[in-house]
Amino acid sequence: MAKRKKNENREKKSKDASSVDVARQAVSRGDMVTATKVVGDVLKASPNDANALYLQGIIFTKSGQPGEAVKPLRKVLELNPGNPAIMNTLGAVLFSIGELEECEDLLRRTVAADPQNMDAAGNLGLLLQRIGQPAEAIKYLATAAGQKQARTNIIEAWVRELNLLARLSEVAITIPKLVRDHPNSAYLHCINACVLEDSGQFQAAEEAWKKAQSLDFSSPDVLIMRGERQISSGNTDAARTNIDAALVINPHHSNALFAWVSGFAKYEKDNTIRERILGQIKGSLERPNITFLDWSTLHFAAGTIADAMKLYDEAFHFYDTVNKAVWKRYSISPDRYIAAAAEIKNTYTPEFFESKQATINREPSGDDRLGEGLVFIACMPRSGTTLTEQILSRGGLVKAGGERQEIDQMAAAATRAVFDGKTTFIDINDITVDRIRQISSIHQKRIDKIANGVPLFSDKTPRNYYHFGLLYLLFPKAKFINCVRNPMDTCLSCYFQM
């Protein structure tokens, strides 16, 4: 009797497994109706069939009902506690419905249990990005993005975080490959357009912008990114057209509202328009499940436009709220900046420059023109680089380059070398004239292409002051402008900005 019952159970399990396989095949070809019916029949006979419960969760998710997927997936996890694949799937579903606290717990447990699970690492990176933990987020996103079959949304999130941190130069050389690997990503085509513009390939950049827009006509994101670039280059009319168009598509888009406020709030004479934009910002802040990044972006935008409208108490409320929240999430010590300043002062001493007179007084050779025509504007952030560059470029003799990435790349090139496949750090005291000429020539050729015949080219990246010593070695005939602003004004202006 017992043997017969055992055989019956074995046959039943085999039949259930076969039915689940049928349902799995139906899911793979998009036939959710058949899959739902088959899984339902299995669970009616065997309510604790883990494979059927897991597949039911997948079916709900793929059918646009993630909330319904939670119950069967939780039950599967009860039957298989600690299973990394199930925790990752449930974590991803919870992320999609805004249950972020439980999502974080599950994804952290998944990564701890299975460090090689790159899908879970990517999901954890997305979650950390959403809750405003960028330093930790980028670590997981970079790990997941480095895999051969990385998902497009992981690649986008990783590049987006690098862009926000002004570290896009780290991946600029790989952008063309990322675009080829993820051809349907409008965001990557936008980033490619930015990289092409920065290298002077304006026709190719225009094609990249068009390609990005063609991939998603209904999204405002391409219009916003292009508008932001146009604001930074001083093309405010074109920028206003693009940002206004983005707000027609989505009146509550945080990046569009922030771009509008950053570019136009101070100069808009019609106060009713500013009141409308402020109203849209306040409405956006009331959205359910708003991300921390959107929340903080909108608070800075609200503070800026309220300040422009002379609503000073309201502006301070927005600024105070967001600054307190942001600095709770960012662990940046003042010691880091003090140490960097000390290193610069200790490296680029009068004795150092005296020892480098042969390099500084070298004769022009080929593309190494010693920086003739280059203008470097630097200072503490919010100290007037933008205004200075706008004044210089008004007469048409200076091509405004805006904030750029190349100087960080040159600094890395000057202090690193690769021998036998390994990166070796070089003391700046030991850098040769030949190496200086090589780096200088590469940069000069790139800038010539971008300047397109304009005799002078300005770079207004504030952090260039970190590299003024190296830049003087590379470009002794360049012009260096150090903008100085009252320290209290500088600090207050930083307080008003993201």
Side-chain angles (χ1 to χ4, degrees):
M1 183 78 175
K3 187 175 181 180
R4 187 173 70 184
K5 188 163 185 65
K6 189 175 181 180
N7 287 336
E8 286 175 354
N9 287 338
R10 189 183 296 117
E11 289 174 7
K12 183 175 181 302
K13 284 183 179 179
S14 177
K15 183 180 178 183
D16 287 347
S18 178
S19 296
V20 170
D21 284 340
V22 169
R24 203 174 277 122
Q25 291 168 14
V27 170
S28 67
R29 63 176 184 268
D31 185 359
M32 299 303 169
V33 175
T34 298
T36 301
K37 183 179 184 309
V38 173
V39 166
D41 290 342
V42 173
L43 290 174
K44 194 178 293 183
S46 306
N48 290 327
D49 188 300
N51 289 326
L53 286 165
Y54 184 79
L55 191 56
Q56 187 179 57
I58 298 298
I59 291 168
F60 278 130
T61 303
K62 288 183 175 291
S63 300
Q65 304 174 70
E68 299 298 320
V70 173
K71 184 177 178 180
L73 289 174
R74 279 200 176 122
K75 192 168 183 180
V76 179
L77 192 57
E78 288 174 9
L79 297 169
N80 299 273
N83 183 293
I86 299 168
M87 288 193 295
N88 180 45
T89 302
L90 179 54
V93 169
L94 291 169
F95 177 84
S96 70
I97 62 174
E99 298 288 343
L100 303 184
E101 189 172 335
E102 186 182 355
C103 168
E104 182 179 2
D105 175 65
L106 282 168
L107 292 177
R108 287 192 183 279
R109 285 165 54 196
T110 304
V111 171
D114 183 7
Q116 302 306 312
N117 189 329
M118 292 299 103
D119 192 55
N123 287 338
L124 181 56
L126 292 172
L127 179 277
L128 292 166
Q129 187 180 56
R130 181 165 177 177
I131 63 176
Q133 301 290 351
E136 197 177 6
I138 201 165
K139 179 180 76 172
Y140 288 106
L141 291 170
T143 300
Q147 303 306 301
K148 194 171 183 179
Q149 300 298 326
R151 302 192 325 251
T152 298
N153 66 327
I154 298 297
I155 297 292
E156 289 179 344
W158 172 55
V159 174
R160 197 181 303 274
E161 203 62 54
L162 287 171
N163 195 26
L164 286 171
L165 295 171
R167 292 170 52 189
L168 194 58
S169 60
E170 296 177 21
V171 294
I173 196 170
T174 67
I175 293 297
K177 182 180 184 304
L178 293 178
V179 169
R180 289 195 300 272
D181 292 344
H182 304 272
N184 294 321
S185 168
Y187 178 74
L188 290 178
H189 281 285
C190 287
I191 291 295
N192 189 37
C194 296
V195 171
L196 289 167
E197 284 180 348
D198 286 343
S199 63
Q201 302 178 62
F202 300 111
Q203 187 172 347
E206 184 63 29
E207 291 303 313
W209 286 119
K210 288 178 180 178
K211 178 63 177 177
Q213 192 66 64
S214 71
L215 288 168
D216 195 352
F217 280 107
S218 63
S219 171
D221 294 333
V222 178
L223 295 166
I224 296 166
M225 288 187 71
R226 189 156 201 192
E228 289 172 335
R229 292 282 294 186
Q230 290 161 335
I231 288 171
S232 65
S233 67
N235 189 0
T236 53
D237 289 341
R240 181 69 180 259
T241 299
N242 281 319
I243 300 300
D244 282 346
L247 286 171
V248 169
I249 297 171
N250 184 351
H252 298 290
H253 196 295
S254 60
N255 289 341
L257 290 166
F258 182 80
W260 194 98
V261 169
S262 301
F264 319 120
K266 290 181 181 179
Y267 312 107
E268 177 56 62
K269 295 179 180 179
D270 188 341
N271 215 44
T272 59
I273 294 177
R274 291 196 292 202
E275 288 174 354
R276 173 172 57 80
I277 295 294
L278 180 57
Q280 288 173 220
I281 293 170
K282 290 179 177 178
S284 297
L285 283 167
E286 294 174 1
R287 287 179 295 161
N289 299 323
I290 187 172
T291 67
F292 180 78
L293 180 59
D294 282 350
W295 179 88
S296 56
T297 298
L298 290 166
H299 269 78
F300 278 114
T304 300
I305 197 166
D307 186 58
M309 297 168 69
K310 300 183 179 181
L311 304 172
Y312 300 123
D313 289 342
E314 190 171 359
F316 181 77
H317 166 73
F318 284 115
Y319 286 135
D320 186 54
T321 301
V322 68
N323 273 288
K324 286 177 178 175
V326 166
W327 285 105
K328 279 183 180 178
R329 292 170 178 260
Y330 287 80
S331 55
I332 299 177
S333 168
D335 294 341
R336 171 180 167 187
Y337 297 98
I338 294 169
E343 184 181 6
I344 293 168
K345 291 175 70 175
N346 292 335
T347 300
Y348 297 106
T349 62
E351 293 76 17
F352 171 85
F353 289 110
E354 186 64 33
S355 71
K356 293 294 181 183
Q357 285 302 300
T359 301
I360 294 168
N361 295 320
R362 69 189 187 274
E363 292 295 322
S365 176
D367 289 309
D368 177 21
R369 302 199 300 277
L370 314 184
E372 191 74 55
L374 299 182
V375 181
F376 294 102
I377 309 168
C379 63
M380 294 300 293
R382 315 303 307 167
S383 293
T385 56
T386 301
L387 179 60
T388 301
E389 185 176 62
Q390 288 174 345
I391 293 170
L392 290 175
S393 63
R394 285 177 70 89
L397 296 178
V398 178
K399 174 74 173 179
E403 296 186 17
R404 309 187 61 76
Q405 310 281 341
E406 292 95 348
I407 306 306
D408 291 332
Q409 294 172 317
M410 284 192 288
T415 56
R416 293 174 177 83
V418 178
F419 297 105
D420 296 328
K422 296 181 180 178
T423 300
T424 302
F425 287 89
I426 301 171
D427 190 320
I428 194 66
N429 289 284
D430 299 328
I431 193 166
T432 65
V433 175
D434 286 343
R435 184 62 175 148
I436 287 288
R437 282 198 187 280
Q438 183 184 31
I439 298 170
S440 172
S441 298
I442 290 171
H443 185 68
Q444 195 80 57
K445 285 173 68 176
R446 180 188 292 129
I447 297 305
D448 286 348
K449 196 172 184 179
I450 301 170
N452 197 27
V454 179
L456 299 170
F457 182 90
S458 63
D459 178 333
K460 73 171 192 75
T461 309
R463 65 182 178 278
N464 280 349
Y465 72 84
Y466 279 115
H467 306 302
F468 264 13
L470 173 62
L471 289 171
Y472 184 57
L473 290 185
L474 290 165
F475 311 113
K477 289 192 176 181
K479 305 298 182 186
F480 295 87
I481 300 174
N482 181 37
C483 297
V484 179
R485 185 180 182 186
N486 181 288
M488 288 293 288
D489 284 342
T490 299
C491 291
L492 185 62
S493 187
C494 288
Y495 187 78
F496 288 167
Q497 301 296 319
M498 281 189 69

